[in-house]
Amino acid sequence: MNQHILLLGGIIIDEYIVVNEFPARGEDTIITDSFHKVGGCAINVAMTLKNLGLKPQIASVLGMDERGKEINDYLLDHGLSRACIQMTPNKKTGYCISILEDSGERTFLTYKGCEAEFSFDIIREDILKETSFLFVTGYYLLDDNFAGTIIQYIQKAKDLGIKILFDPGSLVSKIDRHILLSMMNLADMITPNEGELEKIIVLLNIKKENFSSWLFKKGVRWLVEKKGKLGVNLWDNSSGKQMFIPSYKVSCIDTSGAGDSFAGGLIYGLLQGYDMPKSIKLASACGAFTTTFMGPHKNFTLKDILKIVGES
């Protein structure tokens, strides 16, 4: 079985600001700590997949600025492939300011740089042909100059029989409606959180109770609604049933990257031949583990995840 996982979503620098409590608009608060890490949905998913023994390939453009060079060095240091990374001169690499509260809640301010750019030649043909799964984040579809080309590439992958996971992201309502509909026509599974699902049904003017059947008519196999510590709702096209899967209780420090780690765990489970409920349990454990440390990703093992699931 092909084991390459292709991840469409730019790599950026996450600038963290830690505060006790987010201030009211126009007010001030004290910063208790600050630091930065390499981040972005794609690298967070990639680190989970690598930790679980798979071969992620991130497709991203980087600038040849200080942020871009730092990201490139980070990929080398962590043993992640640079085969689909394109370094471009005179371009700025994006970054995200993450304001993290003591409660674990976070607020984002994002600068889009050249990581939003895409062309077919970023990804070698041999890599695409050896790919089993393609992950795409909604953040990658925000730039109208490149979103159409990205959709065309995803269609190419779909035609090759590659499974498509679409994770909408918190800015899903900013995606062009035509692009969003095209993406949903291509996806095998869609994994919004509760807030993202609400934004989608408002944007498309569809009642929530009708949304899963609407998706299934378009060929989507699974709708996975992530509800954080409240668990996961799963709608299955093949059975027509809805299922609830509870979450795992952990000591939460920082929720950054938890949804991305969930996606990595879900892909891993499905590639191991697990059914969707078992894959979601593993994905939920990956997401839960990611909330137990500061930052969006770090090294862990399958044993760490199975311990949370209760299979160690």
Side-chain angles (χ1 to χ4, degrees):
M1 177 189 294
N2 296 336
Q3 289 293 293
H4 279 310
I5 319 298
L6 185 57
L7 310 176
L8 299 186
I11 313 175
I12 60 174
I13 296 292
D14 283 330
E15 306 277 358
Y16 281 85
I17 298 173
V18 183
V19 297
N20 293 324
E21 187 177 37
F22 193 83
R25 186 175 183 183
E27 297 296 324
D28 195 2
T29 193
I30 300 297
I31 296 173
T32 59
D33 195 8
S34 64
F35 57 93
H36 74 271
K37 290 179 177 286
V38 173
C41 298
I43 198 162
N44 297 337
V45 177
M47 285 298 293
T48 294
L49 291 167
K50 180 177 179 292
N51 288 338
L52 297 175
L54 298 183
K55 301 175 181 178
Q57 295 282 355
I58 307 171
S60 183
V61 175
L62 299 177
M64 287 186 180
D65 54 2
E66 288 305 311
R67 289 189 178 99
K69 292 173 183 176
E70 181 176 350
I71 291 169
N72 190 55
D73 290 344
Y74 189 88
L75 295 173
L76 288 169
D77 292 344
H78 287 77
L80 290 167
S81 173
R82 296 170 55 258
C84 301
I85 300 296
Q86 186 175 93
M87 300 288 292
T88 306
N90 304 317
K91 297 280 188 177
K92 288 186 176 181
T93 303
Y95 61 93
C96 177
I97 299 173
S98 301
I99 303 172
L100 177 64
E101 301 175 58
D102 283 349
S103 65
E105 188 56 78
R106 69 270 196 265
T107 303
F108 301 120
L109 300 169
T110 301
Y111 171 80
K112 287 198 306 175
C114 61
E115 74 282 350
E117 299 179 7
F118 180 81
S119 62
F120 276 43
D121 61 4
I122 292 175
I123 304 164
R124 298 199 320 251
E125 281 295 315
D126 62 303
I127 290 175
L128 182 64
K129 290 177 181 178
E130 295 173 359
T131 294
S132 300
F133 241 101
L134 185 149
F135 165 89
V136 57
T137 169
Y139 290 105
Y140 211 45
L141 301 174
L142 291 170
D143 193 321
D144 293 339
N145 294 314
F146 300 98
T149 303
I150 293 168
I151 290 294
Q152 291 173 17
Y153 193 85
I154 296 169
Q155 179 68 66
K156 179 179 178 179
K158 183 81 170 180
D159 292 343
L160 291 173
I162 296 170
K163 298 292 186 296
I164 313 293
L165 187 158
F166 174 49
D167 193 61
S170 61
L171 296 181
V172 62
S173 59
K174 304 296 185 183
I175 300 174
D176 176 84
R177 191 174 187 275
H178 174 73
I179 292 295
L180 181 60
L181 288 170
S182 297
M183 186 65 243
M184 290 182 171
N185 283 326
L186 293 169
D188 292 281
M189 63 204 74
I190 299 176
T191 58
N193 65 28
E194 195 172 11
E196 293 160 4
L197 179 56
E198 184 64 29
K199 291 176 183 178
I200 293 170
I201 63 177
V202 168
L203 180 64
L204 300 180
N205 194 26
I206 300 171
K207 292 182 178 179
K208 185 172 182 178
E209 58 266 28
N210 299 330
F211 185 60
S212 60
S213 58
W214 180 84
L215 281 178
F216 294 161
K217 289 176 183 177
K218 293 183 171 296
V220 175
R221 296 180 64 185
W222 297 286
L223 171 62
V224 180
E225 181 189 20
K226 300 170 292 186
K227 297 167 69 72
K229 64 182 180 181
L230 298 179
V232 175
N233 284 324
L234 167 66
W235 288 265
D236 188 326
N237 191 351
S238 60
S239 68
K241 295 180 179 179
Q242 180 184 350
M243 181 183 301
F244 173 74
I245 299 165
S247 63
Y248 297 100
K249 292 183 179 180
V250 295
S251 297
C252 176
I253 295 175
D254 176 13
T255 59
S256 302
D260 301 328
S261 190
F262 180 99
L266 184 60
I267 292 170
Y268 173 85
L270 292 172
L271 286 176
Q272 301 313 300
Y274 301 161
D275 62 20
M276 182 56 90
K278 183 175 180 180
S279 296
I280 287 177
K281 289 178 182 178
L282 190 137
S284 294
C286 288
F289 184 82
T290 301
T291 71
T292 64
F293 53 82
M294 193 72 77
H297 61 257
K298 75 171 188 177
N299 293 328
F300 60 80
T301 67
L302 179 59
K303 186 177 180 180
D304 294 321
I305 302 306
L306 294 180
K307 190 179 297 184
I308 292 176
V309 174
E311 296 184 6
S312 58

